[in-house]
C-alpha cells in the first residue's frame, strides 16, 4: 500500500508579504492622519499628527531644530552599548549553556535560578544596577548583559540536551570524545536551536537597553524618551519609539534570515 504524503504548503512569497506589510503601514498612517488632522480627536500636544512626528525625526537625524542631530547621536550611543552588551551576553551565554548541558547538578540549581530570573522584567534590575554601579554606562551594560545571556544559556543547554541520540552514537562511534565531541558533533547538531536563542536574546537585550537608558543619565534612545517627557514633546516621544522599533525590527529580521538559512541547510525547512 502506497502512502501519499500531504503536499507541503507553499510559503507565501516574500514580495507578497512585503506588499501586505506596506498596505498595513499605509492603513495605519491614514487612520492616524484622519484621527489627528481631519477629525482632531485630541489636541496636538496630546496626540500629534504624522507630520509633526516626521518633523521630529528629520530634525533629529539631519535637519535643524530643537533636537538637531541629537536623535542620530542617540542612535549611535545605543547601538554601541547594545553591540558591546550583546557580544558579552552571547559569549557568556554560550559558556554557561555548555556547562549546564554537561553538568546535571549545575543544571538543576543554576539552570532553575536562571529560568526564574528570566521571568523578572529587565526594568526591575535597573534600580539595583544604578545603586551598584552608579548613574553611568556600566549600569546600562549590566542590565543588557543580564537580559541577553540568560536566553542564550538556556537555549544552548536545551539544544544540546535535545540532540538526537543517534547523532551522539554516530559521533562516539567515529571516535570523538570530550571537548572535540562537544564542539564538532553536539554544537553543529544543535545550531538551529541556538540561533533561535540568539534572536530571543537580541530582543531581550534591546528592550533592556532602552529601559536602562530611560532611568539613567546616559545619552541614548531611552534618554531621548525621557527628554521628550520632560519637555512635554509627545512628537519626540513617538519619533523615538518609531526609531527604536525600526532598529529592533531590522536586527531581528537579519537574525531571522540567518536562522531560516541555517534551518534550510539542516533540512528543517523546505523552500516553496
Amino acid at each position: 500500500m502506497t502512502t501519499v504524503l500531504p503536499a507541503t504548503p507553499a510559503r507565501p512569497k516574500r514580495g507578497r508579504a512585503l506588499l501586505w506589510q506596506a498596505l498595513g503601514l499605509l492603513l495605519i498612517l491614514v487612520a492616524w492622519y484622519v484621527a489627528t488632522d481631519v477629525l482632531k480627536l485630541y489636541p496636538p500636544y496630546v496626540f500629534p499628527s504624522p507630520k509633526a512626528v516626521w518633523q521630529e525625526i528629520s530634525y533629529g537625524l539631519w535637519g535643524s531644530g530643537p533636537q538637531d542631530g541629537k536623535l542620530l547621536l542617540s542612535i549611535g550611543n545605543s547601538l554601541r552599548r547594545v553591540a558591546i552588551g550583546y557580544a558579552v551576553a552571547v559569549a557568556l551565554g554560550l559558556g554557561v549553556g555548555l556547562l549546564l548541558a554537561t553538568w546535571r547538578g549545575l543544571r538543576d540549581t543554576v539552570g532553575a535560578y536562571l529560568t526564574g530570573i528570566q521571568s523578572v522584567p529587565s526594568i526591575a534590575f535597573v534600580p539595583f544596577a544604578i545603586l551598584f554601579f552608579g548613574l553611568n554606562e556600566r549600569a546600562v551594560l549590566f542590565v543588557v548583559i543580564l537580559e541577553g545571556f540568560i536566553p542564550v544559556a538556556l537555549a544552548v543547554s536545551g539544544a544540546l540536551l535535545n540532540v538526537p541520540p543517534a547523532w551522539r552514537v554516530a559521533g562516539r562511534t567515529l571516535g570523538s570524545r570530550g571537548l572535540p565531541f562537544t564542539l564538532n558533533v553536539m554544537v553543529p547538531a544543535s545550531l538551529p536551536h541556538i540561533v533561535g536563542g540568539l534572536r530571543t536574546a537580541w530582543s531581550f537585550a534591546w528592550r533592556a537597553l532602552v529601559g536602562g537608558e530611560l532611568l539613567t543619565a546616559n545619552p541614548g534612545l531611552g534618554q531621548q524618551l525621557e527628554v521628550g517627557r520632560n519637555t512635554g514633546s509627545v512628537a519626540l516621544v513617538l519619533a523615538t519609539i518609531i526609531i527604536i522599533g525600526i532598529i529592533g525590527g531590522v536586527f531581528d529580521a537579519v537574525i531571522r534570515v540567518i536562522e531560516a538559512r541555517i534551518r534550510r541547510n539542516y533540512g528543517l525547512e523546505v523552500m516553496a
Side-chain angles (χ1 to χ4, degrees):
M1 179 177 178
T2 303
T3 303
V4 179
L5 297 176
T8 303
R11 297 175 55 198
K13 293 183 178 179
R14 183 169 301 175
R16 185 180 301 175
L18 291 176
L19 177 61
W20 279 111
Q21 291 171 5
L23 288 176
L25 177 61
L26 181 62
L27 286 176
I28 292 175
L29 291 175
V30 169
W32 187 359
Y33 172 78
V34 171
T36 54
D37 287 357
V38 178
L39 300 179
K40 301 184 185 303
L41 297 177
Y42 299 96
Y45 59 88
V46 174
F47 190 23
S49 65
K51 181 181 178 181
V53 174
W54 171 250
Q55 285 178 341
E56 285 292 344
I57 294 176
S58 62
Y59 290 157
L61 293 181
W62 58 76
S64 59
Q67 298 296 324
D68 184 17
K70 291 183 179 178
L71 194 54
L72 188 60
L73 178 64
S74 298
I75 292 173
N77 287 330
S78 294
L79 289 178
R80 175 177 54 81
R81 291 191 191 103
V82 78
I84 296 173
Y86 184 69
V88 174
V90 170
L92 191 60
L94 290 174
V96 173
L98 284 172
L99 291 176
L100 292 176
T102 55
W103 189 356
R104 176 66 180 269
L106 196 66
R107 189 164 62 249
D108 292 340
T109 53
V110 176
Y113 298 146
L114 291 181
T115 304
I117 294 173
Q118 191 180 29
S119 64
V120 180
S122 60
I123 197 73
F125 292 105
V126 176
F128 168 76
I130 293 174
L131 292 173
F132 193 84
F133 294 102
L135 282 169
N136 52 48
E137 191 161 301
R138 287 183 298 173
V140 179
L141 289 176
F142 170 79
V143 179
V144 173
I145 293 171
L146 180 64
E147 287 297 308
F149 107 87
I150 295 178
V152 177
L154 295 178
V156 170
S157 173
L160 292 175
L161 291 173
N162 285 286
V163 171
W167 293 25
R168 301 168 186 259
V169 173
R172 291 195 174 99
T173 302
L174 293 175
S176 185
R177 296 286 188 279
L179 185 60
F181 173 74
T182 301
L183 297 179
N184 299 327
V185 178
M186 299 296 285
V187 171
S190 56
L191 188 58
H193 302 287
I194 293 176
V195 176
L198 295 179
R199 186 160 63 87
T200 303
W202 157 257
S203 176
F204 279 38
W206 184 238
R207 285 184 290 180
L209 172 81
V210 175
E213 290 180 341
L214 184 64
L215 298 182
T216 59
N218 300 288
L221 289 171
Q223 193 56 215
Q224 279 295 101
L225 294 174
E226 185 66 8
V227 170
R229 187 187 70 85
N230 291 333
T231 58
S233 176
V234 183
L236 176 59
V237 172
L238 290 177
T240 307
I241 291 174
I242 291 172
I243 294 295
I244 292 171
I246 291 175
I247 295 175
V250 167
F251 276 86
D252 183 80
V254 170
I255 301 176
R256 192 186 293 272
V257 169
I258 296 173
E259 180 184 11
R261 177 164 298 183
I262 291 175
R263 290 179 64 83
R264 283 199 298 272
N265 292 339
Y266 277 69
L268 299 175
E269 286 188 6
V270 179
M271 295 185 65

